[in-house]
Amino acid sequence: MKNLLTDIAGVTVGHADDARLASGVTAVIFDQPAVAAIDVRGGGPGTREGALLDLANTVERVDAFALAGGSAFGLEAGGGIQAWLAEQGRGFVVRGAVIPIVPGAILFDLLNGGDKAWGRFSHYRDLGYAAAANAGADFALGSVGAGCGATTANFKGGLGSASAITAGGVKVAALAAVNAVGSVTIGDGPWFWAAPFEIDGEYGGRGWPSSFTPDMLKLRMKGGAAANAAENTTIAVLVTDAALTKVQAKRLAMIAQTGFARAIYPVHAPLDGDVVFTAATGEKPIDPVVGLTELGMIAANVMARAIARGVYEATALPFEGALPAWKDRFA
C-alpha cells in the first residue's frame, strides 16, 4: 500500500500542469470500465457527464475521470482524456462506434496570479491528453495536476490521496483536489480538522489543539466579503475494489461526503462546488448492508485524510501575495 488511489488494482493516475498558467489537470484512468456514481453537495458545481451518472440513466461504467482547474474552461480537459482513450480503442461500444466515457469536475483557480490570457482556446484539452498519457501507478501530491493552482481560506491548497483496507480485505482509496472556500486547518495553527483520522504522521502528526477557542471556530472564508460562488470547490474521486451496483456506488459517494465535513470548515457552502465521484472495480463481493456500511465509514475517513494531505503536501505559488503553504509556516 502506497497510501495512494493507485493502491486499487487497475487504476492509474496522471497529472499535467503549467507553472505559468498556475493550473492543471489530473486524469484517473481505469484499465477496465468501472461502475460509477456521483454525489454533489456544493452550491456551485461544475461537472461534465454528471447527468450520465444519474441512477435513472443507462450507462453504468466509466473509462476515466477528469479533474481540472480553470473553472468552466477546464471542462475541456475531459475531451483531451477522451481523445487519448479513443487512440487506445477504449470506450462504450455502439455498433461500430467507440465512445470513451469520461465524467469530470472543475475547480476555480482563475484569480491565483497565473497567466490566464490563453487566447481563443484554453490549454485544458491538451493538458487532459497529457495527463492521461502520463498516467501510472506512482504520482505526485500537492501543487500538481488539478491541485496546481488550488487554494483554501488560509493556506495553499493542493491534491491529496489516501487509502485503507477494511477488516474484510476490501480496499478503498481517495484522491482530492482541495480548493475550498473554508479552511482545512484549525484557526491559525498547524492542526488539521482531520487529525483524528491521521495515520503514521501523514500530514504532520500535530493532532488537535489542547482546547478550542472561539477564534478557532469563527468563520474563515476565502475572499471574505468579496467571495464569489464560482471561486471555490473540492473535487474528489473515491475508488474501491468491491463489487458494487450503480445504486450502491451512489450510496458510497454520499457517505464519503462526510469526509469533507471532517476535514473542511465550513463545507458544502453556497460558495463551494463540492463533488465526489465513486467507482468500483468489482473484484470483491460485499455484504449490501453491513459490508457497505463499514466500507462507507472507512471511505469517509480516507477522504478526510486525502483532503488534509492535499494541503499538507502543497507548495506556494511563486506570485506576489500568494498564500503560504502549510509547510512554509509549520514544517
Side-chain angles (χ1 to χ4, degrees), residues 145-275:
C148 177
T151 56
T152 70
N154 54 352
F155 289 112
K156 176 70 174 68
L159 187 129
S161 192
S163 65
I165 306 176
T166 71
V170 175
K171 293 181 181 179
V172 61
L175 180 148
V178 186
N179 188 60
V181 68
S183 175
V184 177
T185 58
I186 300 170
D188 293 320
W191 315 281
F192 286 90
W193 289 106
F197 311 102
E198 185 175 10
I199 296 176
D200 296 333
E202 61 194 337
Y203 33 95
R206 299 300 185 95
W208 269 358
S210 58
S211 62
F212 284 80
T213 67
D215 180 70
M216 292 175 179
L217 300 178
K218 75 179 184 181
L219 178 66
R220 286 172 171 80
M221 190 168 68
K222 187 193 303 180
N228 184 283
E231 294 184 15
N232 311 287
T233 292
T234 297
I235 50 180
V237 172
L238 183 88
V239 184
T240 178
D241 60 2
L244 302 181
T245 65
K246 192 175 181 180
V247 171
Q248 290 169 330
K250 170 70 172 183
R251 176 56 56 183
L252 183 62
M254 294 169 66
I255 301 173
Q257 285 272 18
T258 62
F260 278 46
R262 294 170 184 174
I264 303 170
Y265 182 87
V267 72
H268 300 152
L271 308 172
D272 284 312
D274 299 332
V275 173

Side-chain angles (χ1 to χ4, degrees), residues 72-156:
F73 297 102
L75 292 174
E76 293 186 1
I81 297 171
Q82 190 175 48
W84 183 86
L85 287 165
E87 290 178 350
Q88 319 307 311
R90 291 282 313 279
F92 184 75
V93 178
V94 182
R95 290 186 289 174
V98 180
I99 308 161
I101 305 299
V102 187
I106 48 87
L107 55 83
F108 185 101
D109 58 6
L110 298 181
L111 300 177
N112 61 9
D115 181 5
K116 307 303 194 296
W118 48 62
R120 178 170 293 180
F121 299 110
S122 78
H123 303 292
Y124 290 98
R125 185 174 65 176
D126 290 338
L127 286 169
Y129 183 94
N134 290 336
D138 295 308
F139 60 94
L141 302 180
S143 300
V144 294
C148 177
T151 56
T152 70
N154 54 352
F155 289 112
K156 176 70 174 68

